[in-house]
Amino acid sequence: MTDTWEPTATGVLQLPSGRLVRGRALRRPLPPGPTPGFAVHLLGKRPPEVPWETRWLRWPDFRLPSSHTEARAVLGEAWERSGSARVEIACGGGRGRTGTALACVAVLDGVPADHAVDFVRLNYDTRAVETPWQRRFVLRFAQL
């Protein structure tokens, strides 16, 4: 038995493989229910401490990650861990950076890069991935 999210939990994206990853806004209160076992925080400055394991990916609002290599490694780790743990990906508002990162994780899960943004908008948030350069980042993610 794995320690993952319920597919119907708030903000949870079910990937084609069945893996579950929760996206959320750090500016909002923690949703009710179980806490993450692992989280990726996408912020321009160091996030506050939380009582679960995290990785901080420096990613300013409306921009791209400061290091594409680090983004590939951290999001790859999130995808790997999502097979057996509750993984959360979060930014300030829970849409642009979070949606972009979720689309990249969907690419790792086998969603074609040119369909990943639509997949996340359909299954997570219709306003996910906010900028043209975030969309291009998803398209190029498989080559990082």
Side-chain angles (χ1 to χ4, degrees):
M1 176 83 182
T2 60
D3 191 21
T4 62
W5 304 109
E6 289 294 320
T8 57
T10 302
V12 172
L13 174 68
Q14 184 165 9
L15 298 166
S17 66
R19 292 171 187 246
L20 303 169
V21 180
R22 180 171 77 183
R24 87 172 173 100
L26 292 169
R27 289 193 291 257
R28 294 195 181 123
L30 190 65
T35 58
F38 176 75
V40 176
H41 291 161
L42 314 165
L43 296 169
K45 62 181 183 175
R46 184 170 297 283
E49 294 292 321
V50 291
W52 50 84
E53 189 177 359
T54 64
R55 296 284 180 274
W56 170 39
L57 184 56
R58 186 182 300 272
W59 191 331
D61 202 9
F62 296 105
R63 302 282 181 211
L64 296 178
S66 297
S67 167
H68 295 185
T69 304
E70 185 179 359
R72 180 71 164 87
V74 170
L75 296 176
E77 181 179 3
W79 179 82
E80 285 286 337
R81 288 179 174 232
S82 69
S84 61
R86 285 187 303 269
V87 171
E88 174 180 88
I89 296 177
C91 68
R95 288 202 174 109
R97 292 168 287 180
T98 296
T100 303
L102 288 172
C104 292
V105 170
V107 169
L108 293 173
D109 199 64
V111 175
D114 58 339
H115 296 295
V117 170
D118 290 337
F119 176 82
V120 170
R121 287 178 174 170
L122 179 66
N123 296 291
Y124 170 68
D125 188 312
T126 57
R127 293 183 286 176
V129 190
E130 296 174 314
T131 69
W133 42 91
Q134 289 172 342
R135 286 191 291 280
R136 280 193 301 273
F137 182 75
V138 173
L139 284 171
R140 295 178 182 146
F141 184 75
Q143 285 83 42
L144 293 180

